[in-house]
Amino acid sequence: MLEKLVNGFESFLFRNRAWVVGIFVFLTLFLGFQASQLKMDAAFIKNIPLHHSYMQTYLKHQKDFGGANSIMVAVEDTSGNIFNANYFDTLKNVHDQLFFIPGVDRAQVKSIFSPSTRFTEVVEDGFAGGPVIPADFSTSVSGLETVRDNIEKAGIVGRLIANDYSAAMVSAQLMDFDPQTGKPLDTIAFAAQLEKELRGKFETDKVKIHIIGFAKMAGDVADGAKGVLLFFVIAILITAVMVYLFSKSIILTVLPLVCSLTAVVWQLGLLTVIGFGLDPMSILVPFLVFAIGVSHGVQMINAVRRRVMDGQTTKAAAASAFRSLLVPGGVALLSDTVGFITLLSIDIGIIRELAISASLGVGVIIFTNLILLPLVISFTEIKVNKTADPTAEEVRTEAIWRFLARFATPKYAVVVIIATVVLYFAGLQQANQMKIGDLQGGAPALHQDSRYNLDTFFITDHFSITTDVMTVIVEAAPEACTYHDVLTQIDEFEWLVRNTPGVESTVSLASVAKKVNAGFNEGNPRWEVLPRTTASLVQAIGQIPTTSGLLNGDCSVMPVYLFMKDHKAETIETVVAKVKAVAAKMDNDKLQFKLASGPVGVMAATNEAVAEAQLPMMLYVYGAVFVLCLISFKSLKATVAVIIPLYVVSTLAQALMTQLDIGLAVSTLPVIALGVGIGVDYGIYILSTMSSKLSNGMPVQQAYYEALVERGSAVIFTGLTLAIGVSTWFFSALKFQMDMGILLTFMFVVNMLGAIIILPALAAVFWRQPK
């Protein structure tokens, strides 16, 4: 039945090949225009698991306490002392410039020039205070000395002023939309504006500007992603040379490359049609689409070339190659597509968009490389050198196939399988040690010596706080902060968490209220306790405005801020575990301690979402491949023979991640699925050729030998070509692209080796001939 459908489809296409090619050309022009309208999109909201319990808490209180999408600008005086007229003029200008950039929440811009940045001191009559920068401030010696005194009284050293007085901080929260247009905030354009309006205007030999925050990081990643185009061009050139060496024909070199690039154009155009942008994290997908297209294109030209050498016309050879490859190629591409679709199960917008982007790209390859390519080839005239005697190269190739065919004999199969089992368990031991989350300081998507990470390290070294903040939200009844027992519990919670490894410092309404109470008692440290009466508590808390971020309007929500030494996976796991353990003991009807807000709160939620998605994703990917292979081969043995090498390679890839200190994060989680999706192609092409011969009673070794003769060159060629192409990513300006390049190079090569070594060994066991 399937054979009749394929033959009928082939007959229809090749009878109307001019019309069909014309339709492809029209669609390519239309989608090419759509692709030209594609824009980069790096919205913050796409990077968080919105339905995670932490993010529900985050979104619930984002309006009152700000979110994790913040910007920190450290203005450094290169002399090491900020108390000079030039520096203060520059700091004021930076504050004002940031205040007026569209997308900044102006109410949340903080620096020593903010009216809300105030100091309080104890005097004979009680308290006195005012803004750190007085209304009559001047950059005279006396004016600067007054500001220095106010800074020390305000207790903002380490937060708004560097510990060594070499820099000052200007921070701001960002809105989700551009108030001028009402559209979602263009994060990449905003980052470019920060660079232009702040660093470009104010950085000199005397003053350095350091900028960190999600928006700036996304902008730097987008800038680095522009280099992907260069790597794409390099990959095309490398692939072109390799395809020519393989096919020895200009036509058979150009056509698969053109059809693969057509698939890329279709993919990018379809993204625009459905209203998507291209995120910096998924900008590598077009290359993978091109790589997969070339892989299937090489199988097609290999089949056509062999048939032409057997004496067929180009048109007849193209039609015959189409018939023989449509089913195995279609199954392989459907396996890829369904595998990528399984990424939709992960509740993170950026991964879901990557899943849709990759699925569209691989889906269109069915049309461009399995249908368009043979049709276009049929219009050409391919000439090959046909000689009666085999060439030296053909003799060498036959010797290689004879050698590899030994793996399909029981004697060698046993050795291969034992070695595979040993490798698997060694890899599994390492894979089980793989960490979830980031394993390096700074932005993991960028190299440690990138400008962004150098800015991060400067701020970390000179200030007591950074963007590595986790906020625990304490929810209670209205006016709860006027009750001693409530604040006592918050104070106890804060103390327990403060003494957790990885937490540098903490602040909450309770800890600040104790300092205020001491101030009411002549600054005596013995009075740095929480007042026991409601009246005294009201007096202390009345000095703490809601703009401090320590309480909301009715005092029913009181965050506890945890300033952490970094956002590495181990640090986050330790702190989250401690918060959960303490909260479980202290939660009651009056108040609850809820995770989490702040940048590290978002990271914690993301890490947990990735950890939860890892096993289901792998089950979905392998489940999809299993079902499609079973439908295609109609054999459980054949299906298992394809799946086992893929699973072993996936385990070894995770072990490699452990060895290279690459954590399982948003940027690396899809790599395993991508590797499985691309790797399955090798096994399907080889086993589809073997299975028909095995069903006719041919010995396993001979069936494998003939499969190698027919498709072995194409399989080995594509594995090596794709590996060489992605190996150039090692030189990328983006750390995550370099990591993906290493992992994909490994998976391309080792999946290819698995298909030509492990698969025939399994076949020798599963189809063992009776003696």
mmCIF file with all atom_site columns, all heavy atoms in Angstrom, residues 9-20:
data_model
loop_
_atom_site.group_PDB
_atom_site.id
_atom_site.type_symbol
_atom_site.label_atom_id
_atom_site.label_alt_id
_atom_site.label_comp_id
_atom_site.label_asym_id
_atom_site.label_entity_id
_atom_site.label_seq_id
_atom_site.pdbx_PDB_ins_code
_atom_site.Cartn_x
_atom_site.Cartn_y
_atom_site.Cartn_z
_atom_site.occupancy
_atom_site.B_iso_or_equiv
_atom_site.pdbx_formal_charge
_atom_site.auth_seq_id
_atom_site.auth_comp_id
_atom_site.auth_asym_id
_atom_site.auth_atom_id
_atom_site.pdbx_PDB_model_num
ATOM 1   N N   . PHE A 1 9  ? 2.703  9.161  -6.084  1.00 0.00 ? 9  PHE A N   1
ATOM 2   C CA  . PHE A 1 9  ? 3.151  10.525 -5.776  1.00 0.00 ? 9  PHE A CA  1
ATOM 3   C C   . PHE A 1 9  ? 4.320  10.903 -6.676  1.00 0.00 ? 9  PHE A C   1
ATOM 4   O O   . PHE A 1 9  ? 4.389  12.014 -7.214  1.00 0.00 ? 9  PHE A O   1
ATOM 5   C CB  . PHE A 1 9  ? 3.546  10.610 -4.310  1.00 0.00 ? 9  PHE A CB  1
ATOM 6   C CG  . PHE A 1 9  ? 3.836  12.002 -3.816  1.00 0.00 ? 9  PHE A CG  1
ATOM 7   C CD1 . PHE A 1 9  ? 3.043  13.075 -4.195  1.00 0.00 ? 9  PHE A CD1 1
ATOM 8   C CD2 . PHE A 1 9  ? 4.912  12.236 -2.970  1.00 0.00 ? 9  PHE A CD2 1
ATOM 9   C CE1 . PHE A 1 9  ? 3.314  14.350 -3.742  1.00 0.00 ? 9  PHE A CE1 1
ATOM 10  C CE2 . PHE A 1 9  ? 5.190  13.512 -2.512  1.00 0.00 ? 9  PHE A CE2 1
ATOM 11  C CZ  . PHE A 1 9  ? 4.389  14.578 -2.902  1.00 0.00 ? 9  PHE A CZ  1
ATOM 12  N N   . GLU A 1 10 ? 5.250  9.958  -6.861  1.00 0.00 ? 10 GLU A N   1
ATOM 13  C CA  . GLU A 1 10 ? 6.412  10.200 -7.731  1.00 0.00 ? 10 GLU A CA  1
ATOM 14  C C   . GLU A 1 10 ? 5.964  10.457 -9.166  1.00 0.00 ? 10 GLU A C   1
ATOM 15  O O   . GLU A 1 10 ? 6.447  11.383 -9.839  1.00 0.00 ? 10 GLU A O   1
ATOM 16  C CB  . GLU A 1 10 ? 7.352  8.998  -7.664  1.00 0.00 ? 10 GLU A CB  1
ATOM 17  C CG  . GLU A 1 10 ? 8.541  9.067  -8.615  1.00 0.00 ? 10 GLU A CG  1
ATOM 18  C CD  . GLU A 1 10 ? 8.281  8.278  -9.901  1.00 0.00 ? 10 GLU A CD  1
ATOM 19  O OE1 . GLU A 1 10 ? 7.746  7.163  -9.806  1.00 0.00 ? 10 GLU A OE1 1
ATOM 20  O OE2 . GLU A 1 10 ? 8.617  8.801  -10.981 1.00 0.00 ? 10 GLU A OE2 1
ATOM 21  N N   . SER A 1 11 ? 5.003  9.671  -9.635  1.00 0.00 ? 11 SER A N   1
ATOM 22  C CA  . SER A 1 11 ? 4.514  9.839  -11.003 1.00 0.00 ? 11 SER A CA  1
ATOM 23  C C   . SER A 1 11 ? 3.873  11.206 -11.189 1.00 0.00 ? 11 SER A C   1
ATOM 24  O O   . SER A 1 11 ? 4.120  11.900 -12.183 1.00 0.00 ? 11 SER A O   1
ATOM 25  C CB  . SER A 1 11 ? 3.507  8.727  -11.329 1.00 0.00 ? 11 SER A CB  1
ATOM 26  O OG  . SER A 1 11 ? 2.999  8.895  -12.634 1.00 0.00 ? 11 SER A OG  1
ATOM 27  N N   . PHE A 1 12 ? 3.074  11.624 -10.219 1.00 0.00 ? 12 PHE A N   1
ATOM 28  C CA  . PHE A 1 12 ? 2.407  12.929 -10.296 1.00 0.00 ? 12 PHE A CA  1
ATOM 29  C C   . PHE A 1 12 ? 3.433  14.069 -10.311 1.00 0.00 ? 12 PHE A C   1
ATOM 30  O O   . PHE A 1 12 ? 3.353  14.988 -11.130 1.00 0.00 ? 12 PHE A O   1
ATOM 31  C CB  . PHE A 1 12 ? 1.459  13.099 -9.121  1.00 0.00 ? 12 PHE A CB  1
ATOM 32  C CG  . PHE A 1 12 ? 0.910  14.500 -8.973  1.00 0.00 ? 12 PHE A CG  1
ATOM 33  C CD1 . PHE A 1 12 ? -0.130 14.943 -9.792  1.00 0.00 ? 12 PHE A CD1 1
ATOM 34  C CD2 . PHE A 1 12 ? 1.451  15.378 -8.040  1.00 0.00 ? 12 PHE A CD2 1
ATOM 35  C CE1 . PHE A 1 12 ? -0.613 16.241 -9.675  1.00 0.00 ? 12 PHE A CE1 1
ATOM 36  C CE2 . PHE A 1 12 ? 0.972  16.669 -7.915  1.00 0.00 ? 12 PHE A CE2 1
ATOM 37  C CZ  . PHE A 1 12 ? -0.060 17.102 -8.735  1.00 0.00 ? 12 PHE A CZ  1
ATOM 38  N N   . LEU A 1 13 ? 4.398  14.016 -9.408  1.00 0.00 ? 13 LEU A N   1
ATOM 39  C CA  . LEU A 1 13 ? 5.385  15.092 -9.299  1.00 0.00 ? 13 LEU A CA  1
ATOM 40  C C   . LEU A 1 13 ? 6.225  15.230 -10.552 1.00 0.00 ? 13 LEU A C   1
ATOM 41  O O   . LEU A 1 13 ? 6.431  16.343 -11.067 1.00 0.00 ? 13 LEU A O   1
ATOM 42  C CB  . LEU A 1 13 ? 6.306  14.847 -8.090  1.00 0.00 ? 13 LEU A CB  1
ATOM 43  C CG  . LEU A 1 13 ? 5.712  15.063 -6.700  1.00 0.00 ? 13 LEU A CG  1
ATOM 44  C CD1 . LEU A 1 13 ? 6.729  14.676 -5.631  1.00 0.00 ? 13 LEU A CD1 1
ATOM 45  C CD2 . LEU A 1 13 ? 5.299  16.516 -6.508  1.00 0.00 ? 13 LEU A CD2 1
ATOM 46  N N   . PHE A 1 14 ? 6.716  14.109 -11.071 1.00 0.00 ? 14 PHE A N   1
ATOM 47  C CA  . PHE A 1 14 ? 7.633  14.193 -12.203 1.00 0.00 ? 14 PHE A CA  1
ATOM 48  C C   . PHE A 1 14 ? 6.903  14.455 -13.521 1.00 0.00 ? 14 PHE A C   1
ATOM 49  O O   . PHE A 1 14 ? 7.519  14.940 -14.479 1.00 0.00 ? 14 PHE A O   1
ATOM 50  C CB  . PHE A 1 14 ? 8.486  12.924 -12.285 1.00 0.00 ? 14 PHE A CB  1
ATOM 51  C CG  . PHE A 1 14 ? 9.641  12.944 -11.316 1.00 0.00 ? 14 PHE A CG  1
ATOM 52  C CD1 . PHE A 1 14 ? 9.465  12.592 -9.983  1.00 0.00 ? 14 PHE A CD1 1
ATOM 53  C CD2 . PHE A 1 14 ? 10.904 13.334 -11.722 1.00 0.00 ? 14 PHE A CD2 1
ATOM 54  C CE1 . PHE A 1 14 ? 10.504 12.629 -9.082  1.00 0.00 ? 14 PHE A CE1 1
ATOM 55  C CE2 . PHE A 1 14 ? 11.963 13.368 -10.829 1.00 0.00 ? 14 PHE A CE2 1
ATOM 56  C CZ  . PHE A 1 14 ? 11.761 13.030 -9.500  1.00 0.00 ? 14 PHE A CZ  1
ATOM 57  N N   . ARG A 1 15 ? 5.581  14.159 -13.589 1.00 0.00 ? 15 ARG A N   1
ATOM 58  C CA  . ARG A 1 15 ? 4.802  14.557 -14.771 1.00 0.00 ? 15 ARG A CA  1
ATOM 59  C C   . ARG A 1 15 ? 4.569  16.063 -14.789 1.00 0.00 ? 15 ARG A C   1
ATOM 60  O O   . ARG A 1 15 ? 4.471  16.686 -15.837 1.00 0.00 ? 15 ARG A O   1
ATOM 61  C CB  . ARG A 1 15 ? 3.454  13.828 -14.792 1.00 0.00 ? 15 ARG A CB  1
ATOM 62  C CG  . ARG A 1 15 ? 3.502  12.422 -15.350 1.00 0.00 ? 15 ARG A CG  1
ATOM 63  C CD  . ARG A 1 15 ? 2.135  11.971 -15.854 1.00 0.00 ? 15 ARG A CD  1
ATOM 64  N NE  . ARG A 1 15 ? 1.074  12.263 -14.895 1.00 0.00 ? 15 ARG A NE  1
ATOM 65  C CZ  . ARG A 1 15 ? 0.639  11.422 -13.971 1.00 0.00 ? 15 ARG A CZ  1
ATOM 66  N NH1 . ARG A 1 15 ? 1.207  10.228 -13.873 1.00 0.00 ? 15 ARG A NH1 1
ATOM 67  N NH2 . ARG A 1 15 ? -0.327 11.757 -13.149 1.00 0.00 ? 15 ARG A NH2 1
ATOM 68  N N   . ASN A 1 16 ? 4.473  16.645 -13.598 1.00 0.00 ? 16 ASN A N   1
ATOM 69  C CA  . ASN A 1 16 ? 4.180  18.074 -13.484 1.00 0.00 ? 16 ASN A CA  1
ATOM 70  C C   . ASN A 1 16 ? 5.353  18.825 -12.845 1.00 0.00 ? 16 ASN A C   1
ATOM 71  O O   . ASN A 1 16 ? 5.156  19.812 -12.142 1.00 0.00 ? 16 ASN A O   1
ATOM 72  C CB  . ASN A 1 16 ? 2.917  18.281 -12.639 1.00 0.00 ? 16 ASN A CB  1
ATOM 73  C CG  . ASN A 1 16 ? 1.712  17.569 -13.204 1.00 0.00 ? 16 ASN A CG  1
ATOM 74  O OD1 . ASN A 1 16 ? 1.089  18.026 -14.150 1.00 0.00 ? 16 ASN A OD1 1
ATOM 75  N ND2 . ASN A 1 16 ? 1.390  16.401 -12.626 1.00 0.00 ? 16 ASN A ND2 1
ATOM 76  N N   . ARG A 1 17 ? 6.553  18.357 -13.130 1.00 0.00 ? 17 ARG A N   1
ATOM 77  C CA  . ARG A 1 17 ? 7.704  18.879 -12.401 1.00 0.00 ? 17 ARG A CA  1
ATOM 78  C C   . ARG A 1 17 ? 7.940  20.371 -12.637 1.00 0.00 ? 17 ARG A C   1
ATOM 79  O O   . ARG A 1 17 ? 8.355  21.087 -11.721 1.00 0.00 ? 17 ARG A O   1
ATOM 80  C CB  . ARG A 1 17 ? 8.964  18.084 -12.762 1.00 0.00 ? 17 ARG A CB  1
ATOM 81  C CG  . ARG A 1 17 ? 9.257  18.008 -14.243 1.00 0.00 ? 17 ARG A CG  1
ATOM 82  C CD  . ARG A 1 17 ? 10.475 17.133 -14.528 1.00 0.00 ? 17 ARG A CD  1
ATOM 83  N NE  . ARG A 1 17 ? 10.710 17.058 -15.977 1.00 0.00 ? 17 ARG A NE  1
ATOM 84  C CZ  . ARG A 1 17 ? 11.891 16.840 -16.515 1.00 0.00 ? 17 ARG A CZ  1
ATOM 85  N NH1 . ARG A 1 17 ? 12.943 16.672 -15.736 1.00 0.00 ? 17 ARG A NH1 1
ATOM 86  N NH2 . ARG A 1 17 ? 12.027 16.778 -17.819 1.00 0.00 ? 17 ARG A NH2 1
ATOM 87  N N   . ALA A 1 18 ? 7.657  20.869 -13.833 1.00 0.00 ? 18 ALA A N   1
ATOM 88  C CA  . ALA A 1 18 ? 7.861  22.299 -14.095 1.00 0.00 ? 18 ALA A CA  1
ATOM 89  C C   . ALA A 1 18 ? 6.928  23.145 -13.238 1.00 0.00 ? 18 ALA A C   1
ATOM 90  O O   . ALA A 1 18 ? 7.341  24.161 -12.663 1.00 0.00 ? 18 ALA A O   1
ATOM 91  C CB  . ALA A 1 18 ? 7.644  22.602 -15.575 1.00 0.00 ? 18 ALA A CB  1
ATOM 92  N N   . TRP A 1 19 ? 5.652  22.714 -13.163 1.00 0.00 ? 19 TRP A N   1
ATOM 93  C CA  . TRP A 1 19 ? 4.685  23.453 -12.336 1.00 0.00 ? 19 TRP A CA  1
ATOM 94  C C   . TRP A 1 19 ? 5.068  23.381 -10.858 1.00 0.00 ? 19 TRP A C   1
ATOM 95  O O   . TRP A 1 19 ? 4.984  24.389 -10.139 1.00 0.00 ? 19 TRP A O   1
ATOM 96  C CB  . TRP A 1 19 ? 3.273  22.882 -12.536 1.00 0.00 ? 19 TRP A CB  1
ATOM 97  C CG  . TRP A 1 19 ? 2.642  23.295 -13.828 1.00 0.00 ? 19 TRP A CG  1
ATOM 98  C CD1 . TRP A 1 19 ? 2.539  22.559 -14.965 1.00 0.00 ? 19 TRP A CD1 1
ATOM 99  C CD2 . TRP A 1 19 ? 2.059  24.566 -14.107 1.00 0.00 ? 19 TRP A CD2 1
ATOM 100 N NE1 . TRP A 1 19 ? 1.916  23.270 -15.956 1.00 0.00 ? 19 TRP A NE1 1
ATOM 101 C CE2 . TRP A 1 19 ? 1.603  24.520 -15.455 1.00 0.00 ? 19 TRP A CE2 1
ATOM 102 C CE3 . TRP A 1 19 ? 1.871  25.729 -13.377 1.00 0.00 ? 19 TRP A CE3 1
ATOM 103 C CZ2 . TRP A 1 19 ? 0.979  25.594 -16.065 1.00 0.00 ? 19 TRP A CZ2 1
ATOM 104 C CZ3 . TRP A 1 19 ? 1.238  26.805 -13.980 1.00 0.00 ? 19 TRP A CZ3 1
ATOM 105 C CH2 . TRP A 1 19 ? 0.802  26.743 -15.310 1.00 0.00 ? 19 TRP A CH2 1
ATOM 106 N N   . VAL A 1 20 ? 5.477  22.210 -10.425 1.00 0.00 ? 20 VAL A N   1
ATOM 107 C CA  . VAL A 1 20 ? 5.831  22.047 -9.009  1.00 0.00 ? 20 VAL A CA  1
ATOM 108 C C   . VAL A 1 20 ? 7.035  22.917 -8.653  1.00 0.00 ? 20 VAL A C   1
ATOM 109 O O   . VAL A 1 20 ? 7.042  23.618 -7.626  1.00 0.00 ? 20 VAL A O   1
ATOM 110 C CB  . VAL A 1 20 ? 6.124  20.565 -8.691  1.00 0.00 ? 20 VAL A CB  1
ATOM 111 C CG1 . VAL A 1 20 ? 6.618  20.420 -7.249  1.00 0.00 ? 20 VAL A CG1 1
ATOM 112 C CG2 . VAL A 1 20 ? 4.881  19.719 -8.902  1.00 0.00 ? 20 VAL A CG2 1
#
